[in-house]
Amino acid sequence: RLAIAEYRDGHVADALGRYDEAGKVVRSRTAGESFDAIVADWYAARLHEQVDPMIAGPNSTRRALNDRARALLKANGELSGEPLVIAGREFMVGDEVVARRNERRLRAPGGRESVKNGSTGTIIETDADRHELVVAFDREGTIRVPNTYLIAGRLEHGYARTSYGVQGATHQVARYHPTDLSSFEEGYVALTRGRLSAHIYIVDGNHSDNDNELAHTPAESQPFGISDIAHALGRRRSAHMAADASPDLDVVAATLAGTTLAELTARRRQLDAQIRRAPADMTQAIQKDTYTIESIRARQQAWTEARNIDGLVETDAPSEREKQKRGPDRARTALRALDRALTHTSARLANHEGLQAVRHDWLEAHSDLVAEHQVVRRAERARETQIRVAAVNNPDTAVRDVLGPEPTLQRDRRAWRHAVAATAVYRARNPGAFSDEDSQRARLIGERPALREAAREYDLAASAINAVVATGATTRRELDAGVEL
């Protein structure tokens, strides 16, 4: 917990040092040895029924770890049946897989859940004739996965996943392999997955190696170690703000002192307006471009394999012979189209990365503004919480006149407390908004404001008030009619 707290606050080197002192950093001389080390530990845990996936940095590391994991599984007889090779990947019965694209048409017979990005399962059948797989998905049921989904590279082995693929998951032990391409966000997701502990596997020696899939620079021998990993993890890929770590609580407390919710909200809205001048966040666009490039490359590999196959099936049927003659031509046409698509997407990715760099520079240049926004937003939320708690414990007289006393039924009590809290927060954020009109809602929160954010808050409070008032009216009618509750 201390290491994660240091990491979250931006002290990446200190956090890694704490992991290192606790024996949680596993060093190897080369990338190949490092990959072997994490896979060996993963497999030993698997033998004790710990099935958490390894967490990789870039996709090249994920693929290397998956290949090594499958080699161990095959050697120990855990994979069986006839291998099916599609889009450069070999699948066998027993392989654990993860889907990488939503596909609403892929459902189990009679099932309601469709395959989604991140759906996991186990292969129970390979169909070499139709080049299809039957996968027992964990949530969606048993589904036949068609060749079109596979050839597009949309089904991957699931023994190792990137940090994007394990977001929201909880592991017993997080086994993470960062690289010089890693980022702050990737590391934070990976290190916070483990419920019991986290282990970090790094190259500490020769960065260049024949089996090195870490490097993105020319293959030259150069020193590499934990300081390089700390530097990589210090980079904030999304670059939302320079002060993204939790602000100092003393600063938040000082901002809270003597400041009303209305004043905090007004300042935060001013800061919102200034920060909106920042260049647009390109994170999602970059992720989309990266996925598209990987998909194109998978399809290129599939068409290249198809072009090199000279007639899979011998046949005397004229129609089939004609199809086989046209095969190489179709492959060449498809590959030319894919080359154009790859060039276009790569240029678009470079443009988006350039725009993201501009955003990063803007946020760095306005770090004081960004830091103040973080503090004011945190103080605003704290003040709102204080108001909610005080309102429920001691409701305002006007609120009690409209909403009545706190109900005894648990369901009605939750709705009443929600309405009381929402009303108190809205009134505190918009003082003087309520009026003396006849409408019960107007007496509490006034008329709907024009400002979009305030209008949303008004609608939430009004909905909560109306629900309680309607429930109270229904209850009174039932009591008048002699209905026993």
Coordinates of all heavy atoms in Angstrom, one line a residue, residues 183-251:
S183 N 4.2 3.3 -19.4 CA 3.8 4.7 -19.0 C 3.3 4.6 -17.6 O 3.1 3.5 -17.0 CB 2.7 5.2 -19.9 OG 1.5 4.5 -19.7
F184 N 3.1 5.8 -17.0 CA 2.6 5.9 -15.6 C 1.3 5.2 -15.5 O 1.1 4.4 -14.5 CB 2.4 7.4 -15.3 CG 1.9 7.7 -13.9 CD1 2.8 7.9 -12.9 CD2 0.6 7.7 -13.7 CE1 2.3 8.1 -11.6 CE2 0.1 8.0 -12.4 CZ 1.0 8.1 -11.4
E185 N 0.3 5.4 -16.4 CA -1.0 4.8 -16.3 C -0.9 3.3 -16.4 O -1.6 2.6 -15.6 CB -1.9 5.4 -17.4 CG -2.3 6.8 -17.3 CD -1.2 7.7 -17.9 OE1 -0.1 7.3 -18.3 OE2 -1.5 8.9 -18.1
E186 N -0.1 2.8 -17.3 CA 0.0 1.4 -17.5 C 0.5 0.7 -16.2 O 0.0 -0.3 -15.7 CB 1.0 1.0 -18.6 CG 1.4 -0.4 -18.7 CD 2.6 -0.7 -19.6 OE1 2.5 -0.3 -20.8 OE2 3.6 -1.1 -19.0
G187 N 1.6 1.3 -15.6 CA 2.1 0.8 -14.4 C 1.2 0.9 -13.2 O 1.1 -0.1 -12.4
Y188 N 0.4 1.9 -13.1 CA -0.5 2.1 -12.0 C -1.6 1.0 -12.1 O -1.9 0.3 -11.1 CB -1.2 3.4 -12.0 CG -2.0 3.7 -10.8 CD1 -1.5 3.9 -9.5 CD2 -3.4 3.6 -10.9 CE1 -2.3 4.1 -8.4 CE2 -4.2 3.8 -9.7 CZ -3.7 4.0 -8.5 OH -4.5 4.2 -7.4
V189 N -2.1 0.8 -13.2 CA -3.1 -0.3 -13.4 C -2.6 -1.7 -13.0 O -3.2 -2.4 -12.3 CB -3.7 -0.3 -14.9 CG1 -4.5 -1.6 -15.1 CG2 -4.5 0.9 -15.1
A190 N -1.4 -1.9 -13.5 CA -0.7 -3.3 -13.3 C -0.4 -3.5 -11.8 O -0.8 -4.5 -11.3 CB 0.5 -3.4 -14.1
L191 N 0.1 -2.5 -11.2 CA 0.6 -2.7 -9.8 C -0.6 -2.7 -8.8 O -0.4 -3.2 -7.7 CB 1.6 -1.6 -9.4 CG 2.9 -1.6 -10.2 CD1 3.7 -0.4 -9.8 CD2 3.7 -2.9 -9.9
T192 N -1.7 -2.2 -9.2 CA -2.9 -2.2 -8.3 C -3.8 -3.4 -8.5 O -4.9 -3.5 -7.9 CB -3.7 -0.9 -8.4 OG1 -4.0 -0.7 -9.8 CG2 -2.8 0.3 -7.9
R193 N -3.4 -4.3 -9.4 CA -4.3 -5.5 -9.6 C -4.2 -6.5 -8.5 O -5.1 -7.3 -8.2 CB -4.0 -6.2 -11.0 CG -4.2 -5.4 -12.2 CD -5.6 -4.8 -12.3 NE -5.5 -3.4 -11.8 CZ -6.6 -2.7 -11.4 NH1 -7.8 -3.3 -11.6 NH2 -6.5 -1.5 -11.0
G194 N -3.0 -6.6 -7.9 CA -2.8 -7.7 -7.0 C -3.4 -7.5 -5.6 O -3.2 -6.5 -5.0
R195 N -4.2 -8.4 -5.1 CA -4.8 -8.3 -3.8 C -3.8 -8.6 -2.7 O -3.8 -8.0 -1.7 CB -6.0 -9.3 -3.7 CG -6.8 -9.1 -2.4 CD -8.0 -10.1 -2.4 NE -7.6 -11.5 -2.4 CZ -7.3 -12.1 -1.2 NH1 -7.4 -11.5 -0.1 NH2 -6.9 -13.4 -1.3
L196 N -2.9 -9.5 -3.0 CA -1.9 -9.9 -2.0 C -0.6 -9.2 -2.2 O 0.0 -8.7 -1.2 CB -1.7 -11.4 -2.0 CG -3.0 -12.3 -1.7 CD1 -2.6 -13.7 -1.7 CD2 -3.5 -11.9 -0.3
S197 N -0.1 -9.2 -3.4 CA 1.2 -8.6 -3.7 C 1.4 -8.3 -5.2 O 0.5 -8.7 -6.0 CB 2.4 -9.4 -3.1 OG 2.4 -10.6 -3.9
A198 N 2.5 -7.7 -5.5 CA 2.8 -7.5 -6.9 C 4.3 -7.8 -7.1 O 5.1 -7.6 -6.2 CB 2.6 -6.0 -7.3
H199 N 4.6 -8.4 -8.3 CA 6.0 -8.8 -8.6 C 6.3 -8.1 -9.9 O 5.5 -8.1 -10.9 CB 6.2 -10.3 -8.7 CG 6.1 -11.0 -7.4 ND1 7.1 -11.8 -6.9 CD2 5.1 -11.0 -6.5 CE1 6.7 -12.3 -5.8 NE2 5.5 -11.8 -5.5
I200 N 7.5 -7.5 -10.0 CA 7.9 -6.7 -11.2 C 9.1 -7.4 -11.8 O 10.1 -7.7 -11.1 CB 8.2 -5.3 -10.9 CG1 7.1 -4.6 -10.1 CG2 8.5 -4.5 -12.1 CD1 7.4 -3.3 -9.5
Y201 N 9.0 -7.7 -13.1 CA 10.1 -8.4 -13.8 C 10.8 -7.4 -14.8 O 10.1 -6.9 -15.7 CB 9.5 -9.6 -14.6 CG 8.9 -10.6 -13.6 CD1 7.6 -10.4 -13.1 CD2 9.6 -11.8 -13.3 CE1 7.1 -11.3 -12.2 CE2 9.0 -12.7 -12.4 CZ 7.8 -12.4 -11.9 OH 7.2 -13.3 -11.0
I202 N 12.1 -7.2 -14.6 CA 12.8 -6.2 -15.5 C 14.0 -6.8 -16.0 O 14.6 -7.8 -15.5 CB 13.1 -5.0 -14.7 CG1 14.2 -5.2 -13.6 CG2 11.9 -4.3 -14.0 CD1 14.7 -4.0 -13.0
V203 N 14.5 -6.2 -17.1 CA 15.8 -6.5 -17.7 C 16.8 -5.6 -17.0 O 16.6 -4.3 -17.0 CB 15.8 -6.2 -19.2 CG1 17.2 -6.5 -19.8 CG2 14.8 -7.1 -19.9
D204 N 17.8 -6.1 -16.4 CA 18.9 -5.4 -15.7 C 20.2 -5.8 -16.2 O 20.9 -6.7 -15.6 CB 18.7 -5.5 -14.2 CG 19.6 -4.6 -13.4 OD1 20.2 -3.7 -14.1 OD2 19.7 -4.7 -12.2
G205 N 20.6 -5.3 -17.4 CA 21.8 -5.8 -18.0 C 21.9 -5.3 -19.4 O 21.8 -4.1 -19.7
N206 N 22.1 -6.2 -20.3 CA 22.2 -5.9 -21.7 C 20.8 -5.7 -22.4 O 20.1 -6.6 -22.5 CB 23.0 -7.0 -22.4 CG 23.3 -6.7 -23.9 OD1 22.9 -5.6 -24.4 ND2 23.9 -7.6 -24.6
H207 N 20.5 -4.5 -22.8 CA 19.2 -4.2 -23.3 C 19.0 -4.8 -24.7 O 17.9 -5.1 -25.1 CB 19.1 -2.6 -23.5 CG 17.7 -2.2 -23.9 ND1 16.6 -2.6 -23.3 CD2 17.3 -1.4 -24.9 CE1 15.5 -2.0 -23.8 NE2 16.0 -1.3 -24.8
S208 N 20.1 -5.1 -25.4 CA 20.0 -5.7 -26.7 C 20.3 -7.2 -26.7 O 21.2 -7.6 -26.0 CB 21.0 -5.0 -27.7 OG 21.0 -5.7 -28.9
D209 N 19.4 -7.9 -27.3 CA 19.5 -9.4 -27.2 C 18.8 -10.0 -28.4 O 17.8 -9.4 -28.9 CB 19.0 -9.9 -25.9 CG 19.2 -11.4 -25.8 OD1 20.3 -11.9 -25.6 OD2 18.2 -12.1 -25.9
N210 N 19.2 -11.1 -28.9 CA 18.5 -11.8 -30.1 C 17.1 -12.1 -29.8 O 16.3 -12.1 -30.7 CB 19.3 -13.1 -30.5 CG 20.6 -12.8 -31.1 OD1 20.9 -11.7 -31.6 ND2 21.5 -13.8 -30.9
D211 N 16.8 -12.3 -28.5 CA 15.5 -12.6 -28.1 C 14.8 -11.4 -27.4 O 13.8 -11.5 -26.7 CB 15.5 -13.8 -27.1 CG 14.1 -14.4 -26.9 OD1 13.2 -14.2 -27.8 OD2 13.9 -15.1 -26.0
N212 N 15.3 -10.2 -27.8 CA 14.8 -9.0 -27.1 C 13.6 -8.4 -27.9 O 13.8 -7.9 -29.0 CB 15.9 -8.0 -27.0 CG 15.5 -6.8 -26.1 OD1 14.3 -6.7 -25.8 ND2 16.4 -5.9 -25.9
E213 N 12.5 -8.4 -27.4 CA 11.3 -7.8 -28.0 C 10.9 -6.6 -27.3 O 9.8 -6.1 -27.4 CB 10.2 -8.8 -28.1 CG 10.5 -10.0 -29.0 CD 9.6 -11.2 -28.7 OE1 8.4 -11.0 -28.5 OE2 10.1 -12.3 -28.5
L214 N 11.8 -6.0 -26.4 CA 11.5 -4.8 -25.7 C 11.9 -3.6 -26.5 O 11.2 -2.6 -26.4 CB 12.3 -4.8 -24.4 CG 12.0 -5.9 -23.4 CD1 12.9 -5.7 -22.2 CD2 10.5 -5.9 -22.9
A215 N 13.0 -3.6 -27.2 CA 13.5 -2.4 -27.7 C 12.7 -1.9 -28.9 O 12.2 -2.6 -29.7 CB 15.0 -2.7 -28.1
H216 N 12.7 -0.5 -29.0 CA 12.1 0.1 -30.1 C 13.2 1.0 -30.8 O 12.9 1.7 -31.7 CB 10.9 1.0 -29.7 CG 11.3 2.1 -28.8 ND1 11.7 2.0 -27.5 CD2 11.4 3.5 -29.1 CE1 12.0 3.1 -27.0 NE2 11.9 4.1 -27.9
T217 N 14.4 0.8 -30.4 CA 15.6 1.5 -31.0 C 16.4 0.5 -31.8 O 16.2 -0.7 -31.7 CB 16.4 2.2 -30.0 OG1 16.8 1.2 -29.0 CG2 15.6 3.3 -29.3
P218 N 17.4 0.9 -32.6 CA 18.3 0.0 -33.3 C 19.0 -1.0 -32.3 O 19.2 -0.6 -31.2 CB 19.3 0.9 -34.0 CG 18.6 2.2 -34.2 CD 17.7 2.3 -33.0
A219 N 19.2 -2.2 -32.8 CA 19.8 -3.2 -31.9 C 21.2 -3.0 -31.6 O 22.1 -3.4 -32.3 CB 19.6 -4.6 -32.6
E220 N 21.4 -2.1 -30.6 CA 22.8 -1.9 -30.1 C 22.8 -2.2 -28.6 O 21.9 -2.1 -27.9 CB 23.1 -0.4 -30.3 CG 23.1 0.1 -31.7 CD 23.4 1.6 -31.8 OE1 23.5 2.2 -30.8 OE2 23.5 2.1 -33.0
S221 N 24.0 -2.7 -28.2 CA 24.2 -3.1 -26.8 C 24.3 -1.9 -26.0 O 25.1 -1.0 -26.2 CB 25.5 -4.0 -26.7 OG 25.6 -4.3 -25.4
Q222 N 23.4 -1.8 -25.0 CA 23.5 -0.6 -24.1 C 23.0 -1.1 -22.7 O 22.1 -1.9 -22.6 CB 22.6 0.5 -24.6 CG 21.2 0.1 -24.9 CD 20.4 1.3 -25.5 OE1 20.5 2.4 -25.1 NE2 19.6 1.0 -26.6
P223 N 23.5 -0.4 -21.6 CA 23.0 -0.8 -20.3 C 21.6 -0.4 -20.1 O 21.0 0.5 -20.7 CB 23.9 0.1 -19.4 CG 25.0 0.6 -20.3 CD 24.5 0.6 -21.6
F224 N 20.9 -1.2 -19.3 CA 19.5 -1.0 -19.0 C 19.2 -1.6 -17.6 O 19.7 -2.6 -17.2 CB 18.7 -1.8 -20.0 CG 17.2 -1.4 -20.0 CD1 16.8 -0.2 -20.6 CD2 16.3 -2.3 -19.5 CE1 15.4 0.1 -20.6 CE2 14.9 -1.9 -19.4 CZ 14.5 -0.8 -20.0
G225 N 18.3 -0.9 -16.9 CA 18.1 -1.3 -15.5 C 16.8 -0.7 -14.9 O 16.0 -0.1 -15.6
I226 N 16.7 -0.7 -13.6 CA 15.5 -0.3 -12.9 C 15.3 1.2 -13.1 O 14.2 1.7 -13.1 CB 15.6 -0.7 -11.4 CG1 14.2 -0.5 -10.8 CG2 16.6 0.1 -10.7 CD1 14.0 -1.2 -9.5
S227 N 16.4 2.0 -13.2 CA 16.2 3.4 -13.4 C 15.6 3.8 -14.7 O 14.8 4.7 -14.8 CB 17.6 4.1 -13.3 OG 18.5 3.7 -14.3
D228 N 15.8 2.9 -15.7 CA 15.2 3.2 -17.0 C 13.7 2.8 -16.9 O 12.9 3.5 -17.6 CB 15.9 2.3 -18.1 CG 17.3 2.6 -18.3 OD1 17.6 3.5 -19.0 OD2 18.2 1.9 -17.6
I229 N 13.4 1.8 -16.2 CA 11.9 1.5 -16.0 C 11.2 2.6 -15.2 O 10.1 3.0 -15.5 CB 11.8 0.1 -15.3 CG1 12.3 -1.0 -16.1 CG2 10.4 -0.1 -14.9 CD1 11.5 -1.2 -17.4
A230 N 11.9 3.1 -14.2 CA 11.3 4.2 -13.4 C 11.1 5.4 -14.3 O 10.1 6.1 -14.2 CB 12.3 4.6 -12.3
H231 N 12.0 5.7 -15.2 CA 11.9 6.8 -16.1 C 10.7 6.6 -17.0 O 9.9 7.5 -17.3 CB 13.1 7.0 -16.9 CG 13.0 8.1 -18.0 ND1 13.0 9.4 -17.7 CD2 12.9 8.0 -19.3 CE1 12.9 10.1 -18.8 NE2 12.8 9.3 -19.8
A232 N 10.5 5.4 -17.6 CA 9.4 5.1 -18.5 C 8.1 5.2 -17.7 O 7.1 5.8 -18.2 CB 9.6 3.7 -19.0
L233 N 8.0 4.6 -16.5 CA 6.8 4.7 -15.8 C 6.4 6.1 -15.3 O 5.3 6.4 -14.9 CB 6.8 3.7 -14.6 CG 7.0 2.2 -14.9 CD1 7.1 1.4 -13.6 CD2 5.8 1.8 -15.7
G234 N 7.4 7.0 -15.3 CA 7.1 8.3 -14.9 C 6.4 9.1 -16.0 O 5.9 10.2 -15.8
R235 N 6.4 8.6 -17.2 CA 5.7 9.3 -18.3 C 4.2 9.1 -18.2 O 3.7 8.0 -18.0 CB 6.2 8.7 -19.7 CG 7.6 9.0 -20.0 CD 7.8 8.7 -21.5 NE 7.6 7.3 -21.8 CZ 8.5 6.4 -22.0 NH1 9.8 6.7 -21.8 NH2 8.2 5.1 -22.3
R236 N 3.5 10.2 -18.3 CA 2.0 10.1 -18.3 C 1.5 10.1 -19.7 O 1.5 11.1 -20.4 CB 1.4 11.2 -17.5 CG 1.8 11.1 -16.0 CD 1.3 12.3 -15.2 NE 1.7 12.3 -13.8 CZ 1.0 11.7 -12.9 NH1 -0.2 11.3 -13.1 NH2 1.4 11.7 -11.7
R237 N 1.0 9.0 -20.1 CA 0.6 8.9 -21.5 C -0.6 9.7 -21.8 O -0.7 10.4 -22.8 CB 0.3 7.4 -21.9 CG -0.1 7.2 -23.3 CD -0.2 5.7 -23.6 NE 1.1 5.0 -23.4 CZ 1.2 3.7 -23.2 NH1 0.2 3.0 -23.1 NH2 2.4 3.2 -23.1
S238 N -1.6 9.7 -21.0 CA -2.8 10.5 -21.3 C -2.6 12.0 -21.0 O -3.2 12.9 -21.5 CB -4.0 10.0 -20.4 OG -3.7 10.1 -19.1
A239 N -1.6 12.3 -20.1 CA -1.2 13.6 -19.8 C -2.4 14.5 -19.4 O -2.6 15.6 -19.9 CB -0.4 14.3 -20.9
H240 N -3.3 14.0 -18.6 CA -4.5 14.8 -18.2 C -4.1 16.0 -17.4 O -4.6 17.1 -17.7 CB -5.4 13.9 -17.3 CG -6.2 12.9 -18.2 ND1 -7.1 13.3 -19.1 CD2 -6.2 11.6 -18.1 CE1 -7.6 12.3 -19.7 NE2 -7.1 11.2 -19.1
M241 N -3.1 15.9 -16.5 CA -2.7 17.0 -15.7 C -1.4 16.7 -15.0 O -1.2 15.6 -14.6 CB -3.8 17.5 -14.7 CG -4.4 16.4 -13.9 SD -5.8 17.0 -13.0 CE -6.9 17.5 -14.3
A242 N -0.6 17.7 -14.8 CA 0.7 17.5 -14.2 C 0.5 17.1 -12.7 O 1.4 16.4 -12.2 CB 1.5 18.8 -14.3
A243 N -0.5 17.6 -12.1 CA -0.8 17.3 -10.7 C -1.9 16.3 -10.5 O -2.7 16.4 -9.7 CB -1.1 18.6 -9.9
D244 N -1.8 15.2 -11.3 CA -2.8 14.2 -11.3 C -2.8 13.4 -10.0 O -3.8 12.7 -9.7 CB -2.7 13.2 -12.5 CG -3.9 12.5 -12.8 OD1 -5.0 13.0 -12.6 OD2 -3.8 11.3 -13.1
A245 N -1.7 13.4 -9.3 CA -1.7 12.7 -8.0 C -2.6 13.4 -7.0 O -2.9 14.6 -7.2 CB -0.3 12.6 -7.5
S246 N -3.1 12.7 -6.0 CA -4.0 13.3 -5.0 C -3.3 14.5 -4.4 O -2.2 14.5 -4.0 CB -4.3 12.3 -3.9 OG -4.9 11.1 -4.5
P247 N -4.0 15.6 -4.4 CA -3.4 16.8 -3.9 C -3.2 16.7 -2.4 O -3.8 15.9 -1.7 CB -4.5 17.9 -4.2 CG -5.7 17.2 -4.3 CD -5.4 15.8 -4.9
D248 N -2.3 17.5 -1.9 CA -2.0 17.5 -0.4 C -3.2 17.8 0.4 O -3.9 18.8 0.1 CB -0.9 18.5 -0.2 CG -0.3 18.4 1.2 OD1 -1.1 18.3 2.2 OD2 1.0 18.3 1.3
L249 N -3.5 17.0 1.3 CA -4.7 17.2 2.1 C -4.7 18.5 2.9 O -5.8 19.1 3.2 CB -4.9 16.0 3.1 CG -5.3 14.6 2.4 CD1 -5.5 13.6 3.5 CD2 -6.5 14.8 1.6
D250 N -3.5 18.9 3.3 CA -3.4 20.2 4.0 C -3.9 21.3 3.1 O -4.5 22.3 3.5 CB -2.0 20.4 4.5 CG -1.6 19.5 5.6 OD1 -2.5 19.0 6.3 OD2 -0.4 19.3 5.8
V251 N -3.5 21.3 1.8 CA -3.9 22.3 0.9 C -5.4 22.2 0.6 O -6.1 23.3 0.6 CB -3.2 22.1 -0.5 CG1 -3.6 23.1 -1.5 CG2 -1.7 22.2 -0.3

